Amino acid sequence: MDLLSSLESSQRLDLDGLVYLRGYALPNQTQLLDDLHAVISAAPLRQMMTPMGFAMSVATTSCGALGWVSDQQGYRYSPIDPIRQAPWPAMPESFFVLANTAANIAGYTDFAPDACLINQYQIGTKMGLHQDKNERDFTQPIVSVSLGIAARFQFGGKKRTDKPTQLRLEHGDVIVWGGDARLNYHGIMTMQSGCHAILGNTRVNLTFRKAG
Ligand code: MD3
Ligand code: FE
C-alpha cells in the first residue's frame, strides 16, 4: 500500500494546531523499522545529560543533517554526534517521505525536515512537561511518529501550569504539530509495562523538525 491510499485506512483528527493521523505509519512499518535499526546501529541510543547535570531517563539519538544534543551548555542542534565525533547518519528516505507526506496532509507543503530525533522509552521512563524552542522557525511544524508500546501523552498549554489533556499514542500514530499547538507544553507520562511484537517492552518516538 502506498502513502496516499494509506490515508484512507487511517483516521484523521484535527485539534487546535495539530493533526492526528492514527495508524498512518503502519503500511510502511517494515521499511521504517529496518531503517530505524540501521540508524541506531550506526549512532547508538544514549542518555544525554540535562543542562542541570542529570542523565535523561529517555535514550536518544538522531539522524539527518542536524541532531538534538544536550549537555551542561544547554539544549541545541549540532551537525556532529558528540559521542562519535562524526556527522549523524543520513535521514533514511522512508523517514523523510513519511514526515513530508504527513505534513502535506496537514496543510504544510514542502516540509523538508533536517533533523529527526529518536527517543527510546523503556518501562519507568518519562519526559517531563517542556516546550520545543530550539528550532529556528516556529512556523515549521513538528511531525511525530510513535512506534512500539503505547504512551500516555500530556498536551498542555502555553504555560507550564496550564492543565494538560491526555492522549494515548499507539504504534503507527503520526501527529503533525503546528500553528497554535507548536509552542505548547507537552510530555510523556511514566511508561507502564506493555509488549509490542517487534519492539518488545519499548516505545520509540521519531520527531521530525526543520531545525536549521
Ligand atoms: C507538541 N517527544 O522529543 S512527541 C520531544 O513522544 C518530545 O518522544 C515526545 O516531546 C515523545 O521533544 C512527544 C510529540 C510532540 C513533539 C513536539 C511537539 C508534541 C509536540 C512540539 C510542540 C507541541
Ligand atoms: Fe518535545
Side-chain angles (χ1 to χ4, degrees), residues 76-164:
R76 64 195 177 279
Y77 288 93
S78 168
I80 299 295
D81 173 353
I83 295 213
R84 294 159 46 249
Q85 287 293 316
W88 299 97
M91 192 181 299
E93 187 183 310
S94 66
F95 283 28
F96 186 95
V97 170
L98 177 66
N100 176 271
T101 55
N104 201 45
I105 288 167
Y108 300 93
T109 46
D110 301 324
F111 178 55
D114 54 14
C116 172
L117 169 62
I118 299 167
N119 293 141
Q120 185 204 49
Y121 297 80
Q122 287 178 323
I123 311 304
T125 65
K126 66 174 174 131
M127 187 176 285
L129 280 178
H130 67 277
Q131 294 172 293
D132 290 21
K133 301 189 291 195
N134 293 109
E135 300 76 24
R136 197 157 280 166
D137 180 0
F138 299 144
T139 69
Q140 292 284 320
I142 292 179
V143 176
S144 78
V145 180
S146 292
L147 299 168
I149 63 174
R152 288 181 298 159
F153 176 77
Q154 288 192 297
F155 189 49
K158 300 280 181 285
K159 289 178 295 186
R160 190 187 295 277
T161 49
D162 291 343
K163 190 177 160 59

Side-chain angles (χ1 to χ4, degrees), residues 117 119 121 127 130 132 177 181-182 186 188 203 205 209:
L117 169 62
N119 293 141
Y121 297 80
M127 187 176 285
H130 67 277
D132 290 21
W177 314 84
R182 179 63 184 76
H186 57 277
I188 296 287
R203 169 174 188 263
N205 185 81
R209 299 131 190 277

